[in-house]
Amino acid sequence: MTPSNPLHDDSGSTHLDSTAQLMDRITSQLGSRLSLVSPDGSRRPAPRPRPGTRPTLVLVPHGSRDPRALATVTALAERIHEQRPGLTVRLGHIELNEPLLTDTLAAQQGGRAVLVPLLLSRGQHVKRDIPAAAAGAPHLDTRVAAPLGPHPMLAEALHSRLVEAGWPTRPPSTGTRRRHAVVLAAAGSRDPESAADTEAAAALLADRLGVPVIPAYAAPTAVCARTVPDALEALAAAGRTRTAVAAYFTAPGRFATQSAAAAPWIAAPPLGAHPALARLVLHRYDQARSAPSAAEYRRLTAV
């Protein structure tokens, strides 16, 4: 398993390495990591960051077996760098794709990093898995940002994707609006707070569109029990004959494909590398970088 490579560094260059170049980079990174170990086996302190340097933004997607997912989050990282040139942006997946988050953090030689979950609600990955990975990298000064949703910028991106799929660009008339609705298709979770976040995201989109938006789930659980077909059936019974499916997913994958296949009218693509999503990632990054570190938080709350 190879250590992660930055998609962009402070020089603004894009790394599209050949196999030979990639191996040279890996060798260099491993050599740098080994140089932190003293001859007696103890680990030397990591180099302190230069004053004024910005923390690395580590974008943390879930990961997917769908090859389109990696291409999509890579494109999003490119978009983030376009919006803030000079910021070092790396990827670190929770599972299924490389680079894994643990490898990305291990490859960084000290300094600061802000981990931004490319996740839309609270759940075990946000509450446990990502903080555990940060705690396993004591050579870094890390912050973990909040999940992306719910947020009005997500409603903006969802609306844009619906318009791309065929949703009216202008607000429909009152009579037409009575026939329109949206199912917000999400993954599902066993965490009640995740369900609450998705409900809040649906409310934000409903306010923006002026039509009912019903959250539903591709992988139903006890707390996220409503399936996408269930929601579509209920809306049809209520006379909503023009119901779209909005993909509350950051990248293509099995759940997004499954949800789109159930759409009786139009199905929007996942959020992907939408400019609003890139702005939201940077917003979460800025929020987290100004928060106290884990060590500072423990010290402040111990008194």
Side-chain angles (χ1 to χ4, degrees), residues 159 167-174 176-177 208-210:
H159 186 186
W167 187 265
T169 55
R170 296 181 179 179
S173 64
T174 301
T176 304
R177 193 162 56 245
R208 187 179 182 95
L209 298 178

Side-chain angles (χ1 to χ4, degrees), residues 120 158 161-162 183-186 245-250 256 259-260 267-271:
L120 301 174
L158 288 165
R161 294 304 190 208
L162 282 166
V183 171
L184 185 66
V245 174
Y248 201 46
F249 304 100
T250 56
S259 300
L271 296 162

Side-chain angles (χ1 to χ4, degrees), residues 215-259:
Y217 304 96
T221 66
V223 297
C224 297
R226 186 190 299 113
T227 68
V228 173
D230 288 342
L232 291 168
E233 182 179 349
L235 287 166
R240 301 286 173 170
T241 57
R242 300 287 276 179
T243 299
V245 174
Y248 201 46
F249 304 100
T250 56
R254 178 168 61 91
F255 290 158
T257 301
Q258 170 186 319
S259 300

Side-chain angles (χ1 to χ4, degrees), residues 47-64:
R48 298 180 65 85
R50 299 189 305 275
T53 57
R54 287 180 288 187
T56 297
L57 191 163
V58 180
L59 191 62
V60 188
H62 180 274
S64 172

Side-chain angles (χ1 to χ4, degrees), residues 107-132:
Q108 184 166 332
Q109 303 174 37
R112 298 179 294 162
V114 173
L115 282 55
V116 181
L118 195 56
L119 303 170
L120 301 174
S121 61
R122 291 167 289 178
Q124 72 171 12
H125 293 315
V126 170
K127 294 178 179 179
R128 295 201 298 269
D129 297 341
I130 297 176

Side-chain angles (χ1 to χ4, degrees), residues 32 41 51-52 56 61 91 93 134 204 221 230 275 286 300:
S32 299
T56 297
L91 286 176
H93 295 84
L204 287 171
T221 66
D230 288 342
D286 290 335
L300 290 171

